[in-house]
Amino acid sequence: MAEGNGTEVFVYEQVVILISCALSFFGSLLIILTYIIWADLRTTPRKLLVFLSVADLLSAISYSVGVWKVFHEDSWDCIVQGAFSTFANTSSFFWTVAIAIYLYIFIVRSSQRGADSLVLYFHLVSWGVPLGITVAALCLHKIGYDASEVSVGWCWVSIKAPDHVLWMLLTGKIWEVLAYVTLPVLYLLIKQHIHRAHAALSEYRPILASNPTSNSLTTMADRKLTLIPIIFIFLRSWSTLRFILLLADSPVRQHPVLVTLHGIGNTFQGAANCVMFVLCTQPVRARLADVLCCRGQAKARGADSQRSGSAGNPSHADDTAAHRWLDED
């Protein structure tokens, strides 16, 4: 289908995508470090976010190696890089969906015990399935040079393999498409549950419902619940589009703009998670500001945030849990 002519990767594309890899690397690292440093942030949802960040960090490293070198043959380092990126990228899909499932059971089903009982299975599936798929692909010699037809310099499934489409599905695309469907549905159900809870609260507690702090937290939680699936789909859709164009044997898949968007989309997930769950989470942001430079002001903001967080309604544990994960932690 595309064995004879690969997609050319230009220098400016390499630079842009390497910057994206660096941002994702440091973003994922920041999520991990904040979890390690501050014990009171070690909630189960944030722990799952750390595991997702580990996968995103490995993805950023492996992709950066491929983008830096731009492989042109089935060399040993191409195969090693392709195996690491395949495992990490697939694991990232599973952990992203695992977090959504955990939040759905915890918030909508009101079962923290049920949600916590799934964590072990999340590990078995999110690490085990990608590892099994990657090992199988390696043993069957499916990992290798793909001529950047569904990558940007890095190696993935060898384009020379007669069943390369099947293995592209198994090593990423089928899980990617399933995530496109699963994430919006789960987060929509969570949003609806939170809206219903606040509607009931507004009916019986009009004073609390009109509280600016409560409304602010609700708005931010609602915004994040909307952005999580949208950002994921936006970033990953370029890779899916190039795969579809490969199936159609369309030369559009080699367009530089599409190639650049694909490279950024595959490598920016760690940075996007950092923006949402570190930089846009007020207590974490305040603590980082305290560490970096503004100790006095950050302490005051942290105290105000703690006081406003403790003023919530204890009879609505599900809603508080949502805010703890999405805003207050």
Side-chain angles (χ1 to χ4, degrees), residues 17-319:
I17 297 168
L18 284 172
I19 292 173
S20 178
C21 288
L23 292 173
S24 192
F25 174 85
F26 287 112
S28 299
L29 190 61
L30 189 58
I31 291 173
I32 296 169
L33 289 177
T34 55
Y35 180 85
I36 294 173
I37 293 172
W38 292 302
D40 58 319
L41 296 181
R42 296 173 192 170
T43 60
T44 302
R46 189 164 286 273
K47 183 189 297 184
L48 299 180
L49 180 64
V50 166
F51 298 135
L52 170 61
S53 298
V54 170
D56 289 333
L57 188 145
L58 292 175
S59 292
I61 295 173
S62 59
Y63 282 140
S64 63
V65 171
V67 175
W68 176 267
K69 189 162 185 177
V70 184
F71 292 101
H72 296 288
E73 60 180 355
D74 284 328
S75 57
W76 69 269
D77 49 347
C78 165
I79 295 173
V80 171
Q81 181 274 316
F84 270 100
S85 62
T86 298
F87 167 76
N89 193 49
T90 308
S91 180
S92 178
F93 294 149
F94 280 99
W95 279 115
T96 302
V97 175
I99 291 173
I101 293 173
Y102 181 94
L103 291 176
Y104 172 79
I105 295 175
F106 185 20
I107 297 172
V108 179
R109 297 300 181 185
S110 304
S111 176
Q112 181 176 358
R113 178 179 295 181
D116 289 342
S117 68
L118 292 176
V119 172
L120 176 60
Y121 297 101
F122 290 155
H123 280 286
L124 293 175
V125 173
S126 300
W127 299 125
V129 173
L131 180 61
I133 292 172
T134 303
V135 170
L138 281 172
C139 293
L140 296 173
H141 307 289
K142 303 299 180 182
I143 301 293
Y145 173 60
D146 78 339
S148 293
E149 292 297 77
V150 198
S151 69
V152 189
W154 57 78
C155 292
W156 185 29
V157 175
S158 175
I159 202 71
K160 297 179 181 178
D163 53 352
H164 62 272
V165 172
L166 172 62
W167 280 96
M168 285 178 178
L169 288 170
L170 290 175
T171 56
K173 293 306 165 190
I174 190 170
W175 315 115
E176 196 172 61
V177 173
L178 287 175
Y180 290 159
V181 176
T182 305
L183 292 177
V185 170
L186 290 176
Y187 282 112
L188 178 61
L189 292 173
I190 295 171
K191 279 167 59 71
Q192 289 177 342
H193 176 82
I194 292 176
H195 288 171
R196 284 195 296 267
H198 272 273
L201 186 63
S202 300
E203 182 179 355
Y204 295 105
R205 287 282 190 86
I207 297 176
L208 180 60
S210 62
N211 185 291
T213 303
S214 176
N215 288 336
S216 175
L217 293 173
T218 304
T219 301
M220 180 59 72
D222 186 74
R223 187 179 297 122
K224 286 186 179 180
L225 287 168
T226 302
L227 287 176
I228 290 170
I230 289 177
I231 290 175
F232 177 86
I233 293 173
F234 176 79
L235 291 177
R236 296 292 183 171
S237 61
W238 310 108
S239 171
T240 306
L241 178 58
R242 287 193 72 205
F243 175 69
I244 294 172
L245 292 173
L246 175 69
L247 296 181
D249 200 19
S250 171
V252 178
R253 69 182 181 274
Q254 300 177 339
H255 194 283
V257 173
L258 186 56
V259 172
T260 303
L261 289 171
H262 174 191
I264 295 173
N266 267 46
T267 57
F268 198 73
Q269 189 67 54
N273 289 337
C274 179
V275 170
M276 282 192 292
F277 298 111
V278 175
L279 302 183
C280 290
T281 302
Q282 198 278 336
V284 183
R285 186 174 65 248
R287 295 181 195 203
L288 287 174
D290 182 41
V291 170
L292 293 175
C293 60
C294 308
R295 292 184 175 274
Q297 296 178 1
K299 286 180 180 179
R301 288 196 301 268
D304 292 338
S305 173
Q306 188 173 8
R307 285 194 297 271
S308 65
S310 62
N313 182 14
S315 65
H316 289 268
D318 299 339
D319 189 48

